Amino acid sequence: MPREKSASRTDLLDTAMKAFWEIGFHVVSMSDLVRETGVSRAGIYSDFANKRELFHACLDRYQEVVVAPHFAPVEADGAGIDSIETYLNNLLMRFEDAGGFGKGCLVGNTLTQIPEEALETRQKLCAHCDRLTSGFHQVIANENGAHGPLTQAEITDLARYSMISVQGIWSYSRLTEDVSELRAASDTLVSVLKARLRGSTQ
């Protein structure tokens, strides 16, 4: 006989994702998840074998409902450096609207908690970082064109630098309520990209 599924898998994922995001994968308990989701242990276990399986589904949901819409300007066809500026500005506006002290990035928050042997989880986190890097790489390549100043190796390095910078900005958002600090870091990243590609920060 098939297992009875929880009333709304999507609602469960959204509320569980919020708990993992705010509390942390290793800190959050099944009791926390029951309280935060409003779904019984039996209901959760009817959909997911364990907390790790639920978390992996939440990481997939995060890509769908958080990353995809916010990163859309960067992933758009033909996007240039201005799309990265738009992406960063939109996230900074979200930080301001929340009144400061952001939740950071679910992936970034989890990176510091995952042991080396958690290979499947690490692969999902790496896939997120690779998505950001790929988006930045395409934007930088678009700006560089066929005869730009950067080699392919330099484009790759700059894309990886951009991803690491963005992850750092959102990690630091958990420590500060001063958006000007985050905006300064964001502006510096954009200035570096423009200087490398256009020879100026304008």
Side-chain angles (χ1 to χ4, degrees):
M1 182 176 179
R3 295 181 304 169
E4 181 181 353
K5 296 296 182 181
S6 58
S8 172
R9 182 185 175 95
T10 299
D11 288 345
L12 171 58
L13 286 176
D14 287 344
T15 51
M17 178 178 69
K18 183 175 182 288
F20 284 126
W21 197 347
E22 294 180 347
I23 302 172
F25 171 70
H26 279 300
V27 178
V28 73
S29 65
M30 285 304 298
S31 295
D32 292 327
L33 290 169
V34 168
R35 182 185 67 250
E36 296 295 327
T37 64
V39 178
S40 68
R41 286 175 182 261
I44 293 174
Y45 284 130
S46 73
D47 280 314
F48 303 98
N50 50 47
K51 186 177 81 168
R52 179 177 58 83
E53 187 176 295
L54 172 59
F55 180 60
H56 288 175
C58 287
L59 287 174
D60 293 338
R61 180 69 173 162
Y62 181 74
Q63 290 296 316
E64 178 185 351
V65 301
V66 178
V67 179
H70 285 98
F71 205 52
V74 177
E75 294 183 316
D77 291 341
I81 293 299
D82 291 344
S83 71
I84 296 178
E85 196 164 11
T86 297
Y87 160 66
L88 292 168
N89 282 334
N90 287 343
L91 288 177
L92 289 171
M93 288 172 60
R94 180 181 173 188
F95 175 87
E96 287 181 305
D97 290 343
F101 289 116
K103 294 189 294 184
C105 165
L106 175 60
V107 171
N109 297 351
T110 307
L111 284 171
T112 60
Q113 304 175 28
I114 295 301
E116 184 177 352
E117 62 271 16
L119 297 180
E120 188 177 353
T121 304
R122 288 170 64 86
Q123 286 173 354
K124 283 189 170 291
L125 301 181
C126 285
H128 168 81
C129 294
D130 288 345
R131 177 179 187 172
L132 297 189
T133 302
S134 177
F136 294 141
H137 189 283
Q138 188 57 57
V139 164
I140 295 167
N142 289 344
E143 281 276 347
N144 196 56
H147 306 290
L150 302 181
T151 66
Q152 285 301 311
E154 288 171 329
I155 292 173
T156 298
D157 289 344
L158 201 53
R160 180 69 61 179
Y161 165 77
S162 299
M163 179 275 292
I164 293 172
S165 297
V166 167
Q167 289 295 105
I169 289 170
W170 305 134
S171 293
Y172 188 66
S173 74
R174 291 171 61 86
L175 292 176
T176 183
E177 61 180 338
D178 186 356
V179 71
S180 68
E181 294 183 317
L182 304 179
R183 193 170 296 281
S186 171
D187 290 346
T188 297
L189 171 59
V190 172
S191 293
V192 168
L193 294 175
K194 289 181 177 180
R196 293 291 303 275
L197 285 157
R198 303 174 182 174
S200 73
T201 58
Q202 303 301 313

